[in-house]
Amino acid sequence: HRLLPWVEPAVVSDAGRRRLPPSLVEAVDAGREARRARHAAVVAATLEVEDALGRAGVRCLHLKGLALATRYYGDPRRRWQWDVDVLVPSPRREAAFAALEAVGYVPDPGRVKEGVVRWGFRRGEEEVDVHWNLRRRARRRIDEAALWRDPARFEVGGRTLETMGDEPTLTFRL
């Protein structure tokens, strides 16, 4: 199912409809609206998180999801995504948590323990992961201060958002 955003355009094209079994074309076509709705929901949640953190004075870098899809996949709908991931400066972690709770997100049960680098929040079907530190292996190889000095930018929903540059993104993902 995660490959559907890549194959859908070819399957539902005129050529695909001529060459492929109608049942396959219908099955791919049937899920198109659900995939588009999910994408629209992730975009809306991303922008709402950006705004909530901005109102609280918490700068964030968007990780994974829309940032990767926009910058590397050529179309944000081509990367399957479910949640919103943001990196906030570690001293602003609690302010980020409060900002999300102010717009109705509920933190995952439990408490932040030593070594944890992210905490999840939920509101209905929407999920947000707030990262305040990079994984230990990545942290040893990335100048975290540089992430904030020289972020990359991407556009989604008519807005420009910030993310990590290419090298730290690759290091973080590896």
Side-chain angles (χ1 to χ4, degrees):
H1 73 282
R2 292 183 182 193
L3 291 177
L4 276 173
W6 287 94
V7 300
E8 177 188 298
V11 171
V12 300
S13 70
D14 290 339
R17 291 178 188 278
R18 282 192 310 273
R19 295 179 180 150
L20 297 170
S23 60
L24 173 63
V25 175
E26 289 170 16
V28 170
D29 203 26
R32 183 189 305 182
E33 288 309 310
R35 287 187 298 280
R36 287 183 178 172
R38 181 69 212 141
H39 171 74
V42 169
V43 169
T46 297
L47 297 177
E48 183 183 25
V49 166
E50 173 81 13
D51 291 342
L53 294 175
R55 284 190 300 273
V58 178
R59 186 174 175 199
C60 71
L61 297 176
H62 294 268
L63 305 175
K64 304 184 272 186
L66 292 172
L68 285 178
T70 302
R71 296 184 68 226
Y72 303 116
Y73 290 57
D75 181 340
R77 291 175 293 200
R78 282 195 151 168
R79 183 180 189 276
W80 186 90
Q81 49 208 330
W82 185 255
D83 64 354
V84 176
D85 287 89
V86 293
L87 176 68
V88 301
S90 60
R92 302 292 292 147
R93 175 182 80 189
E94 296 299 327
F97 292 177
L100 290 177
E101 290 180 62
V103 294
Y105 284 92
V106 176
D108 287 343
R111 62 182 180 79
V112 177
K113 298 176 186 144
E114 182 67 30
V116 171
V117 297
R118 63 153 275 309
W119 201 258
F121 288 78
R122 300 182 194 298
R123 182 179 69 190
E125 296 293 315
E126 298 168 358
E127 297 179 24
V128 177
D129 285 338
V130 177
H131 300 251
W132 57 88
N133 224 329
L134 301 175
R135 293 183 194 116
R136 288 177 197 232
R137 288 180 301 239
R139 197 165 48 225
R140 289 192 298 259
R141 292 171 175 83
I142 294 175
D143 177 2
E144 195 170 343
L147 296 178
W148 299 100
R149 279 193 312 270
D150 191 26
R153 289 172 178 75
F154 67 101
E155 291 190 23
V156 68
R159 306 255 307 269
T160 301
L161 306 177
E162 294 182 327
T163 187
M164 296 190 297
D166 293 342
E167 188 173 326
T169 294
L170 182 59
T171 302
F172 179 62
R173 298 301 296 157
L174 290 174

